[in-house]
Amino acid sequence: MRMYDVIAKKRDGGTLSREELAFAVNGFVSGQVPDYQMSALLMAIYLKGMTGEETAQLTDLMAHSGKMADLSSIQGVKVDKHSTGGVGDKTTLVVAPVAAACGVKVAKMSGRGLGHTGGTVDKMEAVPGTRIALSEQEFFDQVNRLGIAVVGQSSEMAPADRKMYALRDVTATVESIPLIASSIMSKKLASGSDCILLDVTVGTGAFMKTVPRAVELARLMVEIGCRNGRKVAALITDMDTPLGSCIGNSLEVAESMEVLKGCGPEDLTQVCCQLATNMLMLAGKGGEAECLAMVKRVLADGSAFRLCKEMFHAQSGDVRVLDDPRCFAPAQYQYDVCSPSDGFICKTDAEKIGIASMLLGAGRLKKEDSIDYAAGIRMYKKQGAAVRRGERLATFYTNDPARFAAAEETFLQGFSFGDEKPEQLKLIYARVTQSGVEYF
Ligand code: URA
């Protein structure tokens, strides 16, 4: 077989066989297929698409390119949750302890943030001392003992995805539904959980810009997971506007603790309750009303918050910052951004606001960049709010004041103002399961 012929077949709109996909993926991981040929294949896939069967085969090959986690020594139903990425998206820090407090096992491997989107592992590391690399035995023991561990994705898992994603990132081939689906699901299948709840975000701050595209991606990922014997469902959630009020690592940890303590922002609390409810439903804990009641109970009685602290403590984190966010090392500099107009805020563009936060030092432009955990944005006004010219929209935090000007310019580009109150955005648009799509 020649890589040239595999590329040409896809370029001409053909359907690749498992053998042809295996030749490309395994050859790329072993170094026999060079970057330029894999790049050409990725672009051909981007342009011509893939069938469901081809995408499932590609996912399986990518998952098996490295270690497949065997979670059989953890007793009980293991539930995972994955977000396709967002701004201010700190839901894992809430829903993982909530689900575990309701009696399911959460053995979760998470990623880092890149560009305008954040990552759970960075947020965890904002809690001083937290270890995100546990040995396999420590990981299993902690999940058996506490019901929860959240660690960084092992470099041994799905190496094909890591190499392919690095190429996609520089060849304008990220925004392809079969490539995103196979990338995400290869890692989820390799991580070994029985049930997987996908949070497929839609809007300016997400990969998917429209609800139909998000539903298409969700359907494909649900199909791939189910074909591989996992229980999978997806919620389509809004990412036109940042979730919650805070963006930036320690700010987001503090805000997630507010949700766990029952005093978090309404939008974040609602999305977290729905995600946790759907995780429990997948795990067979009951119907929707029953699962939602369990979620509300562990939030109200403080057991989810206590479990979150136990998890951080077990992973060597300094839990004083979870009790009292004033224990976080503060940013040396802060700056208030004020409204340039009177009126209603018609838009708070998640992508622009995510980039502004990254410019303050909260995120990475390149993988190698370091993060300022104290940097970020606290928003006081979001889409739908009425404001007066000169009124405070947000506070910026950073340890490098030279960053304020560019961040403010980008942040304000994300706002538009009008005379009429805009229609309130939905927080959750749809649920996708094996049996179909339910729109809300
Ligand atoms: N997240 C991933 O892990 N892969 C993609 O391709 C896109 C988002």
Side-chain angles (χ1 to χ4, degrees):
M1 200 179 293
R2 291 192 315 163
M3 187 63 184
Y4 180 97
D5 299 319
V6 176
I7 298 167
K9 185 170 177 185
K10 184 43 78 183
R11 179 200 63 195
D12 297 339
T15 300
L16 299 177
S17 66
R18 182 173 175 93
E19 290 65 38
E20 287 162 333
L21 288 166
F23 181 81
V25 171
N26 299 337
F28 181 54
V29 172
S30 69
Q32 273 151 334
V33 169
D35 282 4
Y36 53 83
Q37 284 191 311
M38 188 47 120
S39 301
L41 179 62
L42 291 168
M43 185 55 86
I45 294 173
Y46 180 94
L47 295 171
K48 297 293 175 174
M50 280 185 136
T51 65
E53 174 63 23
E54 259 180 316
T55 313
Q57 296 287 3
L58 176 63
T59 309
D60 184 56
L61 289 161
M62 287 163 71
H64 283 90
S65 66
K67 190 168 169 177
M68 298 289 287
D70 174 5
L71 304 185
S72 57
S73 63
I74 299 173
Q75 292 104 46
V77 183
K78 276 78 72 181
V79 187
D80 198 352
K81 170 255 166 199
H82 182 86
S83 161
T84 56
V87 176
D89 179 356
K90 66 281 284 175
T91 57
T92 293
L93 290 180
V94 179
V95 302
V98 166
C102 293
V104 300
K105 295 286 164 56
V106 182
K108 179 147 182 52
M109 295 165 208
S110 285
R112 292 192 182 279
L114 187 61
H116 68 276
T117 63
T120 301
V121 161
D122 295 323
K123 299 185 220 293
M124 294 202 50
E125 285 183 337
V127 175
T130 302
R131 290 188 304 138
I132 52 95
L134 302 183
S135 73
E136 200 168 73
Q137 200 53 50
E138 279 179 308
F139 182 61
F140 292 162
D141 289 349
Q142 185 176 316
V143 182
N144 271 326
R145 186 163 48 85
L146 296 180
I148 181 170
V150 180
V151 296
Q153 181 102 41
S154 147
S155 59
E156 293 167 12
M157 271 178 196
D161 174 58
R162 210 171 23 266
K163 278 193 84 176
M164 285 164 72
Y165 194 88
L167 272 192
R168 287 168 58 210
D169 208 22
V170 292
T171 56
T173 51
V174 169
E175 285 90 356
S176 147
I177 286 183
L179 292 178
I180 295 176
S182 51
S183 163
I184 291 175
M185 291 309 290
S186 63
K187 289 176 287 212
K188 293 291 110 185
L189 295 180
S191 303
S193 285
D194 309 302
C195 309
I196 304 160
L197 180 73
L198 300 163
D199 177 4
V200 179
T201 51
V202 58
T204 57
F207 283 115
M208 297 295 114
K209 305 296 181 200
T210 65
V211 173
R213 291 269 295 167
V215 168
E216 191 185 338
L217 175 64
R219 288 181 96 132
L220 187 55
M221 292 197 288
V222 168
E223 184 191 331
I224 293 169
C226 295
R227 277 183 195 224
N228 281 277
R230 313 295 169 93
K231 288 192 176 163
V232 189
L235 291 184
I236 311 294
T237 66
D238 181 70
M239 195 40 73
D240 239 6
T241 222
L243 192 56
S245 305
C246 293
I247 304 117
N249 296 284
S250 41
L251 290 166
E252 289 192 43
V253 172
E255 192 170 57
S256 353
M257 295 309 114
E258 285 172 14
V259 178
L260 286 172
K261 291 173 197 168
C263 55
E266 171 84 29
D267 60 342
L268 177 62
T269 304
Q270 251 192 62
V271 171
C272 288
C273 284
Q274 284 306 317
L275 290 169
T277 298
N278 280 272
M279 287 168 80
L280 297 179
M281 285 161 68
L282 273 180
K285 288 292 220 181
E288 186 163 3
E290 211 178 334
C291 291
L292 181 60
M294 288 168 78
V295 166
K296 291 198 165 158
R297 195 159 53 239
V298 298
L299 285 172
D301 69 12
S303 51
F305 177 54
R306 278 195 298 280
L307 188 53
C308 183
K309 284 203 296 182
E310 284 180 56
M311 173 188 77
F312 272 99
H313 179 69
Q315 294 180 217
S316 313
D318 179 352
V319 297
R320 283 174 304 179
V321 300
L322 306 181
D323 279 320
D324 182 356
R326 287 172 302 184
C327 295
F328 274 119
Q332 269 181 282
Y333 302 93
Q334 63 182 68
Y335 171 81
D336 287 337
V337 178
C338 296
S339 177
S341 305
D342 285 323
F344 287 100
I345 300 176
C346 300
K347 191 164 184 58
T348 37
D349 181 309
E351 182 177 21
K352 294 277 186 218
I353 294 166
I355 295 173
S357 174
M358 181 187 75
L359 291 173
L360 289 169
R364 303 180 183 83
L365 204 49
K366 302 188 298 304
K367 274 211 293 286
E368 314 65 57
D369 292 346
S370 62
I371 279 190
D372 176 354
Y373 291 113
I377 300 172
R378 183 187 301 279
M379 295 177 72
Y380 305 109
K381 302 277 179 184
K382 296 209 302 184
Q383 198 248 11
V387 280
R388 297 228 148 266
R389 188 184 158 88
E391 195 177 341
R392 194 168 61 154
L393 294 176
T395 303
F396 283 3
Y397 301 89
T398 185
N399 284 305
D400 176 3
R403 293 171 174 266
F404 281 138
E408 181 178 25
E409 191 184 337
T410 307
F411 180 79
L412 288 175
Q413 282 167 5
F415 278 67
S416 67
F417 301 88
D419 294 334
E420 283 178 28
K421 191 172 165 66
E423 206 181 309
Q424 199 56 41
L425 293 169
K426 280 187 181 170
L427 286 174
I428 302 180
Y429 294 97
R431 172 166 43 209
V432 179
T433 61
Q434 214 179 350
S435 20
V437 187
E438 200 183 331
Y439 288 93
F440 301 123

